[in-house]
Amino acid sequence: MQPYELSLAQAADSIRSRRLSPVELADSVLERVEQVEPHLQAYVTVTAEHARRAAREAENDIAAGRYRGPLHGIPMGLKDLIDVAGAATSASSRVRADHRAQADSTVAARLATAGAVLVGKTHTHEFAYGLTTPQTNNAWDRERVAGGSSGGSAVAVAAGTATFTLGTDTGGSIRVPAALNGVVGLKPTYGLVPRHGVTSLSWSLDHVGPITRTVEDAALVLTALAGHDPRDPASLTTPAIDYRPGTGTDLTGLRIGVPRNYYFDHVDPEVEAAVRRAIAHLESLGARLVEVEIPLTRYIQATQWGLMVPEATAYHEGTLRTVPELYQDDVRILLEAGELMPAGDYLRAQRSRTLMRQEWARMLQDVDVIAAPTVPATAVKAGQETITWADGTVEGVSDAYVRLSSPANITGVPTLSVPVGHDTAGLPIGMQLLGRPLGESALLRIGHAYQQTQPAPTLAPAA
């Protein structure tokens, strides 16, 4: 096994025990970048010199007894919405072509304190306003979409060009590409991970979280990220904890909700079969399955768009009026549509969200987590605009991908996407676990138990 193939936990153990040096790991990852990046285009920019310098510093610190913990010397990528002092934050847009960050974002600063090594900034759908990331190719089939908007971050982890990455999630933008590329994606509880220094899409829906090879890795990164920051008005004052899930696989006593509506409607049969097999496996580990009814489903999509569209337009108001030609057409059209949305619609979406949060809180009193498909279909071909379901219903690709992920953004509940196999074309399938607010520990425990009792995940061929 090459160093770039190691999970974060495996690499951290090898570094701590001096069986692997941070320099060896960084060199292996950078060689992998040179090998596959021309095919995948996961990165906006690769900071190879910085990575090698940071890896040498980590190696020297560790040799001198200044080991900082499991992220020390670990190569990472940051979605190009996340500020790093002195580096460009382009949001994969010509609008930001000359922008350089003056200071680190909170999450970048916390990862730097933990000793992580920045490999580069990863592509996003322009300003995170989309579900495909058209610049980047799927790690399993480069003729297919990577998912978005954190497509570059997911592909980098899936292909071995970063040991972990950070993404952002406003309507599914961590979980969708994680599912489509066969990796783990965690959207934490709203406000658990600070967003100061992170370019916003929709401030009341935005989350920052890790994309990793394994659930254990996600727990390690979340432990470094979580904690209050007064510069983010939504930041929770919840005390930071260690999210590592332990080694147990017995899920006795845990109740897993299985939706009888919404989450299995208009879902590809192979996706449904794989997710139901995974749920049955959780039952075999001792969990009790409980049917649940998802509330207020007819309002989910309208609420998501009713909140996101006007907030995004408000954020871009200045540049939309001065340099509209610099936006990609799909993003510009959405931003211009936001200027036409009545204030009353935005207020109604806020009221709808309040009702959904209340109803979801009631539903989650009866179960510990809900298990469902992350996305209803695997990665579509690049350029494909619609999906046709078995009953003849035609749905836009972005609408399909966001449909099952947006409820967690509206309600703010934590959600973990875990790979649960591949379809007959070899494309990854994801299952998401949705929990109570601040219920990350339960999600990570269940996801880790699942992965411990399944074959170890493999990297994408990325050929």
Side-chain angles (χ1 to χ4, degrees), residues 271-289:
V271 171
E272 177 172 357
V275 172
R276 291 198 184 277
R277 283 195 300 270
I279 293 171
H281 184 72
L282 296 177
E283 184 179 30
S284 75
L285 298 178
R288 180 162 66 90
L289 305 186

Side-chain angles (χ1 to χ4, degrees), residues 82-248:
I82 299 171
D83 281 353
V84 175
T89 306
S90 74
S92 294
S93 176
R94 293 178 296 170
V95 176
R96 285 279 192 89
D98 299 322
H99 175 80
R100 287 193 172 269
Q102 300 300 306
D104 280 345
S105 60
T106 302
V107 290
R110 289 179 178 178
L111 293 175
T113 298
V117 172
L118 180 65
V119 173
K121 304 291 284 293
T122 57
H123 266 302
T124 171
H125 201 118
E126 184 178 35
F127 284 107
Y129 213 167
L131 274 295
T132 57
T133 317
Q135 310 92 324
T136 303
N137 299 321
N138 188 283
W140 291 84
D141 182 344
R142 62 189 185 189
E143 294 184 356
R144 294 180 182 270
V145 300
S149 60
S150 307
S153 291
V155 168
V157 173
T161 58
T163 305
F164 76 92
T165 60
L166 294 192
T168 63
D169 193 310
T170 305
S173 292
I174 287 172
R175 292 159 289 150
V176 170
L180 298 185
N181 289 279
V183 292
V184 170
L186 173 63
K187 183 201 78 64
T189 300
Y190 182 73
L192 181 63
V193 174
R195 302 165 302 172
H196 173 74
V198 179
T199 301
S200 176
L201 172 58
S202 172
W203 56 82
S204 72
L205 299 169
D206 291 339
H207 303 67
V208 179
I211 297 176
T212 58
R213 309 262 172 82
T214 70
V215 173
E216 182 182 16
D217 291 355
L220 293 172
V221 179
L222 180 63
T223 298
L225 297 177
H228 179 63
D229 180 356
R231 295 171 297 181
D232 178 353
S235 181
L236 301 176
T237 57
T238 306
I241 65 172
D242 188 338
Y243 288 97
R244 284 177 286 192
T247 59

Side-chain angles (χ1 to χ4, degrees), residues 1 3 75 96 152 183 216 236 250 253 315 334 340-341 399 420:
M1 177 180 285
R96 285 279 192 89
V183 292
E216 182 182 16
L236 301 176
D250 185 0
Y315 183 86
L334 285 169
L340 304 177
M341 183 171 285
D399 289 337
V420 292

Side-chain angles (χ1 to χ4, degrees), residues 312-335:
T313 298
Y315 183 86
H316 288 271
E317 182 177 14
T319 48
L320 182 61
R321 293 182 179 179
T322 55
V323 288
E325 71 280 1
L326 295 184
Y327 289 93
Q328 297 296 319
D329 288 346
D330 61 331
V331 171
R332 179 181 50 77
I333 289 169
L334 285 169
L335 292 174

Side-chain angles (χ1 to χ4, degrees), residues 361-449:
R362 292 190 186 96
M363 176 179 60
L364 287 166
Q365 289 176 353
D366 298 324
V367 294
D368 297 289
V369 303
I370 293 169
T374 306
V375 287
T378 53
V380 300
K381 291 278 190 179
Q384 181 176 330
E385 296 183 354
T386 61
I387 296 173
T388 302
W389 301 110
D391 64 359
T393 300
V394 178
E395 186 174 22
V397 169
S398 291
D399 289 337
Y401 283 162
V402 78
R403 172 162 45 89
L404 304 187
S405 54
S406 61
N409 297 89
I410 296 168
T411 59
V413 301
T415 314
L416 177 72
S417 181
V418 182
V420 292
H422 297 76
D423 67 10
T424 52
L427 300 171
I429 295 169
M431 172 180 70
Q432 62 178 327
L433 302 170
L434 304 95
R436 300 168 183 163
L438 299 177
E440 281 79 2
S441 293
L443 301 184
L444 293 163
R445 176 189 168 192
I446 294 169
H448 185 51

